[in-house]
Amino acid sequence: MASVEAAAEHERILREIESTDTNCIGPTLRSVYDGQEHGLFMEKLDGRIRNHDREIEKMCNHHFQGFVDSITELLKVRGEAQKLKSQVIETNRRLQDDGKELISSMEELKQCRMQQRNIATTIDKLTHCLPVLEMYSKLQEQMRAKRYYPALRTLEQLEHTCLPRAGQYRFCSIMADNIPKLRIHIRDEAMTQLRDFLESIRKHSDKIGETAIKQAQLQRSLDSSVSTQPRALMGRRTRKEAMVAAGTESDGQGGSPVSEQDSGILDVEDEEEDDEVPGAQDLVDFSPVYRCLHIYTVLGLRDVFENYYRKQRRKQARLVLQPHSNMHETLEGYRRYFNQIVGFFVVEDHILHTTRGLVNRAYVEELWELALSKTIAALRTHSVLDQDNYSPIPVASEQEYRHYTSQFPLQDPELDKLPFPKKLPFSEFVPKVYCQIKEFIYACLKYSEDLHLSSTEVDDMIRKSTNLLLTRTLSHCLQYAIKKKNVGLAELVQAIINTTHLEQSCHYLEEFISNITNVPPDTVNATKLYGTSTFKDARHAAEAEIYTNLNAKIDQFLQLADYDWIAAVQGGGALTPSDYLIDLIAFLKSTFSVFTNLPGKVAQTACMSACKHISTSLLQLLLDSEVRQISMGALQQLDTDVRECESFARAGPVAGFQGDTLLLAFSDLRQLLDLFTQWDWSTYLADYGRPTCKYLRVNPHTALALLEKMRETGRKNNVFAQFRKTDRDRQKLIDTVLKQLRNLIAQHHA
């Protein structure tokens, strides 16, 4: 029973071995070896192998003949395959040989197609880029030719049309970044040309005015001639043709005589004859102003341009309306003055009619009113100024005194008490100017009668007009009279006295205006007169001129100074002041005696300014680079002159100084001279920098420069100094002090 089961198990294992993958046969074989009958299993396995071998043999015997036949056929096919292989190789060789040219041609075709595409792309890109480059080249040429308005148009076309089509290229980016800079450059160049234009018309206004006046005279003579002759109905004739017609056409044919209007300088553009009077455009090139106007309009800055042009022309108008310093000396001066005014308005009229809105009629009328008022006032006031003798008015009787006090509100109780004959403090200029101002106020009142204004409006108009008269016309005339050449100190002193009295009379003018307008001066928003500031400014200008003229006169005396800078020390006797200084002090004494009628502060300032100028000038003489040597004898002479100046200051040439205040003007020079003449270097070096230093005002650099000049004197003049012990010691002492001074300067500089 067990053997049967073992046989069945072995059969199962064999079937499993036959049907199972060899990778999974391990567990099956293990089950065989785990049993006790593996020998029997091996017998069965051998039997099963023999059975399979017999089946294989049968199968092989059954298919052997077919196999042999297949091998025979295969051997036959091998020969044919060899032939076919040879043919294929030969065919491939011939194909490769024949295909080389084709491949080469195909490669060439490929390259050509690629180049063709690249060329097409390049042509397409160049089609968009060339206009940019051409436009930019055109722009550069226009910029070089200074044709800025076409350049601006080209710039706009380049920015808005050409560059967007070109694409994103580096040169396009550079151009785009450069466009704002080019706009600014064009704007600045246009403004530069405008400034040149304004300068040109300023220079040529005299010639333009002269030409316009000549042309107006020609036109009037032409009108008077043509008015007696018929005039052709068709076509426009030049003035020369009209003059010919006036002399030849006497048969009375044509219409009624009508004279041409006087079109002024602008009509000259229709005249082409050589003997015609040139017009404004023949004397001045107006293209810069047109070009600048167009450029600023394109840039959106027309308002800026208009404001700038009008502002500059207003400034030029004020310059033109300001009389020349020598205008009143000759008739030619007046002629030139009027020519400039006419020339100015001829140019403005030309601009008015050839531009759209750059200037308007109201602007020209405003300038004309300004010119009219300033011209009339300047001529009238200058006549008063030129006739004034800058001397106090002598009064011999009560009648004369009342005559002047009726013209000018003089309030001086002390003067009233003086017996006749006596002198008024001011000159003829004061009552005449005061009366002219009152006449101007009356004229303003008369002008306002037909304007239907209220009393307050009339008062305001009169006050504002009077302010314009005071601040513009009268102020300029006073400044001119004060600053013109050949005005002496006596005239300047009288000018200060005159302006002082006019300043004090301003409140009387306020009352005068209030009386004629019936408007109280304390009314709310009432305009105040600026006369006080006008006369005060004129007085300050006169004071400044006094200081300047006084210093200039002092310089004339100082130019006569002739110091012997290498003079030896005098052994005995006191030194005397230099001749030029004696004359200078005498001049100052006589001058300051005239200042008694001046306000105290003015006289004191003039005196202090003169003393400071003398002290500074003497110090500059010491430090002059042309003075290379200075001896102790020269310093002693200068010390004597300074003592004379101090004596003059101590005497009080002008009242009002407290103590020795005026001596302070010479303190810097005094301390420097004391330091050298007393040779007090130990004190100076020891106390330098302390507030209580004896030589506080001595600058070490100044002392060093002066000491070096003294050392040069010792070296060059003492030829045998090395043989004299005193000279050698003095030279060593100077060198020692120089070294100490340099160390002192270096320490404080550090």
Side-chain angles (χ1 to χ4, degrees):
M1 189 67 183
S3 60
V4 174
E5 293 178 355
E9 178 66 20
H10 291 166
E11 187 65 25
R12 185 188 65 78
I13 294 173
L14 288 175
R15 285 198 301 275
E16 187 175 349
I17 291 172
E18 289 175 347
S19 60
T20 305
D21 190 4
T22 56
N23 292 330
C24 301
I25 200 171
T28 304
L29 295 177
R30 180 175 293 279
S31 64
V32 174
Y33 284 99
D34 288 343
Q36 300 295 324
E37 297 179 353
H38 60 275
L40 182 58
F41 174 77
M42 294 298 296
E43 291 177 358
K44 284 188 174 289
L45 179 61
D46 290 338
R48 184 62 62 88
I49 292 172
R50 286 193 295 272
N51 290 335
H52 282 296
D53 288 340
R54 284 193 295 272
E55 290 178 359
I56 291 171
E57 185 177 356
K58 288 179 180 180
M59 186 178 291
C60 289
N61 290 333
H62 178 72
H63 294 287
F64 178 74
Q65 188 60 40
F67 174 73
V68 172
D69 294 338
S70 298
I71 293 300
T72 302
E73 291 293 329
L74 185 61
L75 291 174
K76 293 179 181 179
V77 170
R78 186 177 66 176
E80 296 296 329
Q82 290 292 336
K83 293 179 181 179
L84 182 59
K85 178 181 178 182
S86 299
Q87 292 175 357
V88 169
I89 292 173
E90 181 63 23
T91 301
N92 180 62
R93 184 184 61 77
R94 291 199 303 271
L95 181 62
Q96 292 295 329
D97 293 340
D98 295 338
K100 286 181 180 179
E101 294 183 3
L102 179 61
I103 292 172
S104 176
S105 299
M106 291 299 293
E107 287 294 332
E108 291 178 359
L109 179 61
K110 178 181 177 182
Q111 293 296 328
C112 288
R113 291 289 175 84
M114 186 180 298
Q115 291 176 359
Q116 187 178 14
R117 287 196 302 271
N118 292 340
I119 291 172
T121 303
T122 303
I123 291 174
D124 180 64
K125 299 299 183 182
L126 286 176
T127 303
H128 294 90
C129 292
L130 281 177
V132 175
L133 298 175
E134 292 173 356
M135 194 69 65
Y136 196 79
S137 176
K138 179 182 177 182
L139 174 64
Q140 294 297 323
E141 291 178 0
Q142 291 171 338
M143 294 292 288
R144 283 193 294 269
K146 297 185 177 181
R147 299 175 59 239
Y148 295 116
Y149 181 67
L152 193 60
R153 290 297 187 186
T154 304
L155 197 64
E156 285 194 341
Q157 187 177 357
L158 178 66
E159 181 182 20
H160 297 107
T161 304
C162 298
L163 283 177
R165 293 178 181 175
Q168 300 295 327
Y169 293 102
R170 186 167 178 267
F171 74 92
C172 292
S173 300
I174 295 175
M175 289 181 183
D177 294 339
N178 202 30
I179 284 176
K181 300 177 182 178
L182 290 173
R183 277 203 179 94
I184 294 174
H185 178 70
I186 291 174
R187 184 195 67 191
D188 294 343
E189 287 295 326
M191 183 55 67
T192 300
Q193 291 185 356
L194 176 67
R195 293 192 184 99
D196 295 339
F197 165 78
L198 294 174
E199 179 65 18
S200 175
I201 59 178
R202 186 188 68 81
K203 291 180 178 179
H204 291 84
S205 60
D206 183 15
K207 181 65 175 177
I208 296 171
E210 180 183 358
T211 303
I213 293 174
K214 289 181 180 178
Q215 198 176 43
Q217 293 174 346
L218 177 64
Q219 184 66 45
R220 282 194 294 271
S221 62
L222 175 64
D223 290 343
S224 62
S225 176
V226 173
S227 62
T228 61
Q229 301 295 333
R231 189 174 181 184
L233 296 177
M234 299 180 63
R236 181 180 179 183
R237 299 179 177 181
T238 63
R239 294 191 181 94
K240 186 173 183 179
E241 290 171 342
M243 293 177 68
V244 172
T248 59
E249 297 181 4
S250 59
D251 54 0
Q253 297 179 359
S256 60
V258 179
S259 64
E260 287 189 53
Q261 294 181 351
D262 184 10
S263 57
I265 199 75
L266 301 179
D267 288 344
V268 80
E269 61 188 8
D270 296 321
E271 301 167 0
E272 299 179 356
E273 299 298 328
D274 294 336
D275 57 350
E276 293 295 332
V277 179
Q281 68 277 12
D282 298 318
L283 298 175
V284 179
D285 180 16
F286 285 91
S287 59
V289 70
Y290 304 143
R291 187 181 306 115
C292 195
L293 175 62
H294 293 323
I295 288 174
Y296 270 70
T297 302
V298 172
L299 293 174
L301 300 173
R302 182 184 176 95
D303 292 341
V304 175
F305 174 75
E306 289 182 0
N307 293 333
Y308 177 81
Y309 176 83
R310 295 185 183 186
K311 180 180 178 181
Q312 294 302 315
R313 288 297 280 166
R314 282 192 180 94
K315 290 182 179 179
Q316 289 189 349
R318 294 189 182 96
L319 291 176
V320 167
L321 296 172
Q322 180 177 352
H324 300 286
S325 59
N326 58 349
M327 182 188 77
H328 310 281
E329 298 176 0
T330 61
L331 183 61
E332 182 62 29
Y334 284 98
R335 184 181 293 112
R336 184 184 178 192
Y337 178 63
F338 287 116
N339 285 344
Q340 287 182 340
I341 296 176
V342 173
F344 176 87
F345 284 100
V346 165
V347 170
E348 288 307 290
D349 184 72
H350 190 86
I351 295 296
L352 174 66
H353 288 87
T354 56
T355 59
R356 296 180 180 179
L358 179 56
V359 298
N360 52 34
R361 181 63 63 184
Y363 161 80
V364 177
E365 292 291 343
E366 176 191 348
L367 291 180
W368 179 251
E369 291 296 329
L370 172 65
L372 192 62
S373 62
K374 287 185 73 70
T375 303
I376 294 175
L379 293 175
R380 294 181 63 186
T381 309
H382 272 294
S383 64
V384 174
L385 289 172
D386 292 339
Q387 295 172 3
D388 192 39
N389 58 5
Y390 292 95
S391 299
I393 302 175
V395 178
S397 64
E398 181 71 24
Q399 184 178 359
E400 283 187 80
Y401 186 74
R402 290 180 180 178
H403 169 71
Y404 285 110
T405 54
S406 64
Q407 292 181 342
F408 181 78
L410 177 63
Q411 302 294 331
D412 191 345
E414 297 296 330
L415 183 62
D416 293 339
K417 297 176 182 179
L418 294 178
F420 293 99
K422 54 187 175 183
K423 291 184 178 181
L424 301 180
F426 45 77
S427 64
E428 293 279 356
F429 165 74
V430 173
K432 288 183 178 180
V433 167
Y434 188 83
C435 290
Q436 283 195 3
I437 296 175
K438 291 178 66 175
E439 290 176 7
F440 177 83
I441 294 173
Y442 272 125
C444 291
L445 180 64
K446 185 173 182 59
Y447 174 78
S448 65
E449 289 178 353
D450 299 329
L451 298 180
H452 306 291
L453 301 176
S454 65
S455 298
T456 305
E457 291 173 333
V458 171
D459 182 84
D460 185 65
M461 184 270 291
I462 292 177
R463 290 175 182 273
K464 288 182 178 178
S465 300
T466 306
N467 279 334
L468 289 177
L469 176 69
L470 293 172
T471 57
R472 292 184 181 178
T473 306
L474 184 57
S475 175
H476 162 70
C477 293
L478 290 173
Q479 296 286 342
Y480 159 76
I482 290 169
K483 295 183 179 180
K484 68 180 181 180
K485 295 181 179 179
N486 302 323
V487 178
L489 290 173
E491 287 84 354
L492 291 173
V493 170
Q494 189 61 54
I496 292 176
I497 296 172
N498 289 348
T499 52
T500 301
H501 282 84
L502 286 172
E503 178 184 351
Q504 295 171 353
S505 69
C506 286
H507 71 278
Y508 293 104
L509 291 175
E510 294 263 10
E511 294 177 358
F512 176 71
I513 295 175
S514 298
N515 291 334
I516 65 174
T517 59
N518 294 321
V519 176
D522 55 352
T523 303
V524 179
N525 298 327
T527 303
K528 300 298 181 184
L529 291 184
Y530 300 149
T532 301
S533 60
T534 298
F535 297 124
K536 186 176 295 183
D537 292 342
R539 187 171 69 253
H540 290 166
E543 293 170 4
E545 285 296 312
I546 285 179
Y547 307 148
T548 302
N549 290 2
L550 189 58
N551 289 343
K553 193 68 176 178
I554 291 173
D555 289 337
Q556 294 178 8
F557 282 99
L558 290 173
Q559 288 176 1
L560 302 176
D562 187 19
Y563 287 101
D564 182 5
W565 297 112
I566 57 175
V569 178
Q570 293 188 8
L575 294 174
T576 59
S578 302
D579 293 338
Y580 84 91
L581 191 68
I582 295 175
D583 295 338
L584 172 58
I585 290 178
F587 163 75
L588 292 177
K589 288 180 179 179
S590 63
T591 300
F592 291 141
S593 64
V594 182
F595 287 8
T596 53
N597 293 328
L598 284 178
K601 184 178 180 181
V602 177
Q604 293 169 16
T605 304
C607 187
M608 178 61 78
S609 173
C611 291
K612 285 184 177 180
H613 188 68
I614 294 173
S615 177
T616 303
S617 300
L618 291 177
L619 182 59
Q620 290 300 322
L621 285 177
L622 281 175
L623 301 179
D624 190 355
S625 58
E626 295 182 359
V627 179
R628 303 182 183 278
Q629 305 176 43
I630 294 179
S631 66
M632 184 59 72
L635 290 180
Q636 289 177 349
Q637 179 61 52
L638 188 64
D639 180 74
T640 302
D641 291 345
V642 173
R643 292 185 186 279
E644 185 69 16
C645 293
E646 290 172 335
S647 176
F648 164 75
R650 197 175 290 107
V654 172
F657 286 108
Q658 296 181 356
D660 294 336
T661 304
L662 195 56
L663 286 175
L664 294 177
F666 300 97
S667 58
D668 293 5
L669 188 57
R670 166 49 53 208
Q671 291 186 11
L672 180 66
L673 291 173
D674 285 348
L675 176 61
F676 276 82
T677 56
Q678 299 175 14
W679 208 253
D680 195 10
W681 292 103
S682 58
T683 303
Y684 177 75
L685 295 172
D687 296 343
Y688 180 78
R690 298 178 183 177
T692 58
C693 179
K694 180 180 178 182
Y695 303 100
L696 184 63
R697 294 179 177 270
V698 177
N699 188 304
H701 294 276
T702 304
L704 179 63
L706 187 56
L707 195 59
E708 287 179 342
K709 293 183 178 184
M710 291 189 68
R711 182 179 63 174
E712 290 298 320
T713 304
R715 286 180 175 179
K716 294 183 179 181
N717 292 345
N718 297 326
V719 180
F720 302 101
Q722 56 181 340
F723 303 109
R724 294 194 294 268
K725 185 176 184 304
T726 55
D727 294 332
R728 290 200 307 271
D729 293 343
R730 182 172 181 80
Q731 198 67 24
K732 289 180 180 180
L733 182 58
I734 292 177
D735 292 337
T736 302
V737 175
L738 280 172
K739 183 177 180 181
Q740 292 175 341
L741 272 177
R742 292 192 182 98
N743 293 335
L744 181 67
I745 293 173
Q747 291 174 2
H748 284 271
H749 178 72

